[in-house]
Amino acid sequence: LEDSWIALTGLLSNMTGLVVISVAGTTTLMFTGYGLLFLSMLSTPVLRSKMSKLGDVSEQGALFASVACVESLCSLVSSGIFNSLYPATLHIMKGLPFLFGAGLLLIPAAVIGTVECRERKIDYSVFTGTATTS
């Protein structure tokens, strides 16, 4: 599998697990949702690998430092957003923040899919063989 497909598999696993957790009404279904999250950590190392190939070797330290800063900032902001979103949507649906998180994962999936489609180069060659009949 190519790197992009592995990252998309991780995102799909994460989205599937979050959707199952959002509708879970029993303990068994909740654990099933967490079981579906088992491939969710595939995306991070694959994306870091792809990013390391983009820059020069001397720029990798700055790249990974900025990635770590963005990850920390996202973790800080997301805890505030989701902790305030849950009580605000509790009367609508208990699992709405999980569906919101799964919906947010569509953004990186679309970006990775778009980049993969643009990177794919199909080389066509003209067939110059002659047909033989018996």
Side-chain angles (χ1 to χ4, degrees):
L1 282 176
E2 293 183 20
D3 289 346
S4 299
W5 288 108
I6 295 172
L8 287 173
T9 302
L11 288 173
L12 183 66
S13 170
N14 203 344
M15 286 187 279
T16 306
L18 287 174
V19 168
V20 170
I21 290 171
S22 73
V23 297
T26 63
T27 305
T28 307
L29 197 54
M30 183 66 92
F31 282 116
T32 303
Y34 280 108
L36 291 171
L37 289 170
F38 77 104
L39 292 175
S40 65
M41 295 306 293
L42 285 177
S43 302
T44 306
V46 169
L47 293 177
R48 285 179 186 238
S49 168
K50 286 183 78 76
M51 285 189 291
S52 70
K53 295 174 187 173
L54 294 175
D56 195 26
V57 176
S58 62
E59 298 172 342
Q60 285 186 0
L63 172 72
F64 288 125
S66 61
V67 167
C69 287
V70 169
E71 284 180 353
S72 297
L73 181 67
C74 287
S75 178
L76 180 68
V77 170
S78 67
S79 64
I81 289 173
F82 284 99
N83 283 335
S84 62
L85 184 65
Y86 183 74
T89 61
L90 195 56
H91 65 283
I92 299 170
M93 181 182 173
K94 291 180 184 177
L96 193 62
F98 295 102
L99 288 177
F100 179 68
L104 284 178
L105 288 174
L106 290 173
I107 296 169
V111 169
I112 292 170
T114 302
V115 168
E116 176 63 27
C117 288
R118 290 185 183 216
E119 282 182 355
R120 184 179 300 175
K121 295 195 171 47
I122 302 173
D123 294 327
Y124 293 104
S125 60
V126 177
F127 181 69
T128 58
T130 57
T132 58
T133 57
S134 308

